């Protein structure tokens, strides 16, 4: 971690910790953040700490202990997730609604910014703390861990494609640099080519059913990845739970194409619910994706925290 203190000349500005991922967008994180930094410096007394692969708990805990209540994730969706998860775990007696989260979209998909209201030199920026709005925070608990998430969680083919996207291959490495949506489509098609549906039991709103799971999305946003997005409403205090069940590979590709146009409801093999929580038990361990970060699990429950964090506009 390499802390940098920004000069402070604005008495009205609030103190903030910026968690900067220098590896975002294939190592362009520092250069891309430098474009946005002058505006950050106008609004905040910001201390910058670069993210550490070993974890950022020390920097977040020290800032909380020092009275900082505004945190800015400068990176991709994984950086936003890391900051949210750290705040949920480390806040102690501080309520989530005392904390304000900002973000600078330096990553590939930047789903936490969608729909994008503000850009600075083409870079999405959620840095308007004055008009920050309450935002639900989800938490996933699985056999061996738990993690908070802000945008969405998924199990199934899209989670497996996300795992491939994170690992990269030569084609993905090239596409990610020049065409993010093409990168996502390539990862999805490669995954679908060998995909086998997952046998398990899904519980939503107290009703259990046996499923051949192709995709399960538990979302606080209509945006899935890149340009893919649902048409199912997302209500405050509720998840939009979206299921693709028993789909063939061709049907999965057609559903993916529909999602690229924002169509989901009513398609063959799809189901949607508004729910305060959900859980799934699978017969085998699979990928679980949380805001782009992937772990392995076979039993997962999804809940909303009672408190909401303040999200910059």
């Amino acid at each position: 971690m390499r802390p940098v203190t920004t000069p402070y000349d604005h008495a009205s500005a609030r103190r903030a910790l910026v968690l900067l991922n220098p590896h975002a967008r294939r190592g362009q994180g520092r250069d891309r953040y430098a474009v946005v930094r002058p505006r950050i410096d106008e609004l905040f007394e910001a201390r910058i700490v670069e993210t550490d692969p070993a974890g950022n708990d020390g920097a977040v805990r020290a800032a909380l202990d020092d009275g900082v209540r505004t945190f800015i994730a400068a990176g991709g969706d994984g950086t936003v997730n890391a900051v949210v998860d750290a705040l949920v775990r480390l806040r102690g007696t501080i309520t989530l609604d005392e904390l304000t989260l900002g973000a600078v979209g330096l990553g590939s998909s930047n789903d936490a910014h969608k729909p994008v209201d503000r850009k600075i030199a083409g870079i999405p920026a959620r840095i308007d703390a004055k008009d920050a709005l309450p935002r639900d925070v989800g938490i996933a608990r699985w056999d061996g861990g738990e993690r908070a998430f802000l945008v969405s969680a998924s199990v199934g083919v899209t989670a497996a494609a996300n795992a491939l996207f994170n690992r990269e291959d030569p084609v993905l490495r090239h596409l990610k640099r020049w065409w993010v949506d093409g990168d996502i489509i390539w990862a999805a098609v490669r995954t679908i080519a060998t995909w086998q549906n997952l046998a398990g039991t899904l519980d939503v709103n107290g009703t259990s059913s046996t499923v051949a799971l192709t995709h399960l999305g538990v979302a606080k946003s209509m945006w899935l990845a890149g340009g893919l997005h649902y048409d199912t409403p997302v209500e405050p205090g509720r998840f939009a739970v979206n299921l693709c069940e028993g789909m063939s590979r061709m049907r999965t590709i057609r559903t993916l194409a529909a999602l690229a146009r924002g169509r989901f409801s009513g398609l063959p093999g799809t189901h949607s619910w508004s729910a305060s929580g959900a859980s799934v038990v699978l017969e085998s361990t699979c990928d679980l994706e949380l805001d782009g970060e992937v772990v392995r699990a076979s039993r997962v429950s999804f809940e909303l925290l009672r408190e909401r964090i303040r999200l910059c506009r």
Side-chain angles (χ1 to χ4, degrees):
M1 294 185 296
R2 298 194 292 175
V4 180
T5 301
T6 301
Y8 177 47
D9 298 316
H10 307 278
S12 62
R14 64 173 73 197
R15 293 193 301 154
L17 177 69
V18 177
L19 268 294
L20 168 62
N21 181 359
H23 306 294
R25 207 64 174 265
R26 297 187 54 78
Q28 300 178 54
R30 292 191 193 97
D31 291 341
R32 288 170 64 81
Y33 181 74
V35 175
V36 181
R37 182 172 176 172
R39 182 57 179 153
I40 298 284
D41 289 349
E42 291 176 7
L43 298 173
F44 304 98
E45 178 192 359
R47 178 171 178 261
I48 305 170
V49 174
E50 293 191 353
T51 56
D52 187 335
N56 306 288
D57 284 8
V60 173
R61 183 181 289 110
L64 288 169
D65 290 345
D66 193 38
V68 173
R69 296 295 181 263
T70 300
F71 296 79
I72 300 172
D77 291 316
T79 306
V80 175
N81 179 265
V83 174
V84 170
D85 184 64
L87 290 173
V88 169
R89 289 186 291 102
L90 302 174
R91 61 198 168 102
T93 59
I94 302 168
T95 61
L96 272 185
D97 41 28
E98 293 178 63
L99 302 176
T100 299
L101 175 69
V104 178
L106 307 180
S108 300
S109 190
N110 300 312
D111 295 324
H113 291 264
K114 295 172 182 172
V116 177
D117 291 328
R118 171 184 294 179
K119 288 185 178 181
I120 298 174
I123 298 172
R126 284 187 174 272
I127 54 175
D128 182 357
K130 180 180 177 182
D131 293 323
L133 297 173
R135 175 67 175 259
D136 288 324
V137 176
I139 188 159
R141 296 185 173 90
W142 65 93
D143 34 354
E146 65 177 50
R147 191 174 185 90
F149 62 97
L150 189 73
V151 179
S152 67
S154 70
V155 175
V157 67
T158 51
N162 218 301
L164 175 61
F165 181 88
N166 291 347
R167 288 195 301 271
E168 296 189 347
D169 64 13
V171 174
L172 287 169
R173 195 173 300 116
H174 178 76
L175 284 172
K176 189 177 287 188
R177 190 176 188 89
W178 304 109
W179 185 29
V180 173
D181 282 354
D183 200 18
I184 292 169
I185 292 169
W186 174 258
V189 170
R190 276 202 58 190
T191 303
I192 292 168
T194 58
W195 177 254
Q196 299 292 326
N197 291 329
L198 304 171
T201 302
L202 174 66
D203 187 289
V204 183
N205 291 331
T207 300
S208 295
S209 57
T210 301
V211 295
L213 191 151
T214 307
H215 161 76
L216 174 67
V218 181
K220 282 306 308 177
S221 168
M222 64 186 293
W223 295 94
L224 178 57
L228 305 179
H229 57 291
Y230 302 108
D231 56 6
T232 47
V234 182
E235 305 170 29
R238 311 280 288 181
F239 287 121
V241 179
N242 298 303
L243 173 69
C244 297
E245 181 183 12
M247 290 188 177
S248 65
R249 294 188 181 111
M250 184 54 66
R251 174 58 61 192
T252 304
I253 290 172
R254 288 173 180 166
T255 303
L256 194 70
L259 283 166
R261 301 190 300 274
R263 293 184 57 238
F264 184 80
S265 299
L267 295 177
T270 66
H271 308 275
S272 299
W273 301 266
S274 175
S276 58
S279 64
V280 63
V281 179
L282 301 167
E283 293 183 2
S284 58
T285 301
C286 66
D287 292 310
L288 164 64
E289 175 266 328
L290 303 162
D291 292 346
E293 299 300 291
V294 180
V295 298
R296 300 281 291 175
S298 61
R299 305 170 63 94
V300 192
S301 65
F302 305 95
E303 302 172 17
L304 285 169
L305 297 177
R306 293 182 179 180
E307 303 162 9
R308 295 190 288 175
I309 198 165
R310 288 169 46 82
L311 182 64
C312 290
R313 298 185 69 177

